Amino acid sequence: MHRHWMALGLALAMAAPAAAHHSFAMFDMQKSVTVTAKVTEFRWTNPHSFMHMDVADAGGATINWAIEMTSPNNLVNGGWRRSSLKPGDTVTVTYHPLLNGKPGGSLVKVVLANGTVLENK
Amino acid sequence: MRRTGPLALLGAIAIAAPGLAQQAAPPAMPQIVVPDKVWPASGERVDYGALARLPDWRGIWTPMLGAGGKPEVPQLIGSYKALYDKIQGLIRSGDPNALLKVERRASACEPPGMPGIMTQPYDLEFLFTPGRVTIIQEAYMQVRRVFTDGRPLPEDPDPTYNGSSIGHWEGDTLVVTTVGLREGGQMGRNGVTHSDQLKISERIHLDARDKDQLVVETIFEDPKALAAPWHTVARFKRQRGLDQIEFICAQNDRNPINENGEVQFEPPQQ
């Protein structure tokens, strides 16, 4: 609600999210990847909330990914709660991957099993 | 209240090594620790009634990022221009890690200080008490104190992140002067830094056409870093249904800075 226009104004101004903690330079912000994943942990913490998730790679091995989002301070205004994700949940996740190829990224959105869309802004 | 800690320590040193105490006069104490001084804002009698004549800035103010108009380009000089040119060149180089290399902090949890405290992508709150305006920034729960009780700026302040600020009211506009900032601190994004001679002047007021918008007009003057004053404008929107939320950066800081000054991204901690 009230903090959404912040993200909009920002997109118009510089086409990149504003950062208080660190820049988004470590992520490939031009690339979005969507996967089906199983949540292993959700940390509702500052300066960033994180979800950890298991994703099957091309060879069938399970890799645990760390996906960063903004702070609870901002997420709460987008409908997020500390209970939004639970270990074991199967979700569809869209993220900007790390440039260094490691299993991490910056969240774009999560689609829950019931169809609820939670965006990272 | 007296700050007995440092004084007690000095006393202990004097007792343990009396020769040292006799050799040199102690340096003048900084203004903030003059033990017998009573600032008007902390005096026994203050005028709470005066607060009723101040403008209504209640609520939480969320930044309208990008709403301040096209930003003016600062006319940097000397080593400050050289650093800016170097960083801008790095960004233009196409190096995907350029912006990571630009972030030179001891910790990603290090708050920006002035003027960055006023331009974080988080909200501000203003508290009025007699002789003082207190500004609370949600990000990192930073606090700025602007003394409006007539005290002068400190003559030789220790450089700090937020500096020393005094202010006065011109009608419904809060006029703030800030000095005492750290050499090399960030004045703007992507390589705009300042010297310890920076003076920041702010005029903070409600928009004449919209009492739910707050305007912060800022002038930067720095004889070592700027050829001419640099002007910026920031706008904020009033939120009446919002409270600030706690922000403890150390809770889950997964972005340590490596030995090259670059921001890292730590994997899940088991």
Side-chain angles (χ1 to χ4, degrees), chain A residues 94-111:
Chain A
T94 302
Y95 61 92
H96 301 306
L98 280 171
L99 282 164
N100 65 14
K102 292 186 176 172
S106 177
L107 184 71
V108 177
K109 64 177 181 180
V110 174
V111 183

Side-chain angles (χ1 to χ4, degrees), chain B residues 68-167:
Chain B
K70 189 181 178 188
E72 185 179 304
V73 177
Q75 297 179 46
L76 294 165
I77 54 177
S79 60
Y80 306 91
K81 183 175 191 313
L83 177 64
Y84 177 77
D85 288 345
K86 179 183 171 189
I87 287 176
Q88 291 295 312
L90 186 63
I91 292 169
R92 280 196 304 271
S93 72
D95 180 346
N97 291 316
L99 285 173
L100 277 181
K101 293 175 180 174
V102 167
E103 289 192 73
R104 298 289 170 182
R105 292 179 289 173
S107 159
C109 279
E110 183 180 17
M114 270 295 284
I117 185 174
M118 299 298 286
T119 55
Q120 299 264 282
Y122 289 87
D123 56 63
L124 293 174
E125 182 176 31
F126 292 83
L127 305 181
F128 296 168
T129 48
R132 170 173 163 170
V133 173
T134 304
I135 305 170
I136 305 175
Q137 161 62 253
E138 185 177 58
Y140 311 103
M141 304 193 295
Q142 300 165 82
V143 174
R144 272 187 81 191
R145 297 170 180 86
V146 178
F147 294 104
T148 57
D149 60 355
R151 75 183 62 184
L153 283 168
E155 288 180 8
D156 184 24
D158 290 337
T160 57
Y161 283 77
N162 289 343
S164 298
S165 297
I166 60 169

Side-chain angles (χ1 to χ4, degrees), chain B residues 174-195:
Chain B
L174 177 63
V175 181
V176 184
T177 304
T178 300
V179 297
L181 296 157
R182 299 167 306 132
E183 173 69 41
Q186 286 192 23
M187 187 159 62
R189 297 188 66 187
N190 298 339
V192 181
T193 57
H194 62 76
S195 81

Side-chain angles (χ1 to χ4, degrees), chain B residues 198-213:
Chain B
L198 173 64
K199 182 177 89 170
I200 303 177
S201 304
E202 296 166 286
R203 295 183 65 84
I204 309 175
H205 56 85
L206 298 180
D207 188 318
R209 290 160 299 178
D210 182 355
K211 64 179 171 40
D212 291 326
Q213 275 196 32

Side-chain angles (χ1 to χ4, degrees), chain A residues 77-102:
Chain A
N77 295 299
W80 288 81
R81 298 285 292 128
R82 67 178 186 277
S83 55
S84 293
L85 298 173
K86 299 180 190 66
D89 287 356
T90 296
V91 293
T92 304
V93 179
T94 302
Y95 61 92
H96 301 306
L98 280 171
L99 282 164
N100 65 14
K102 292 186 176 172

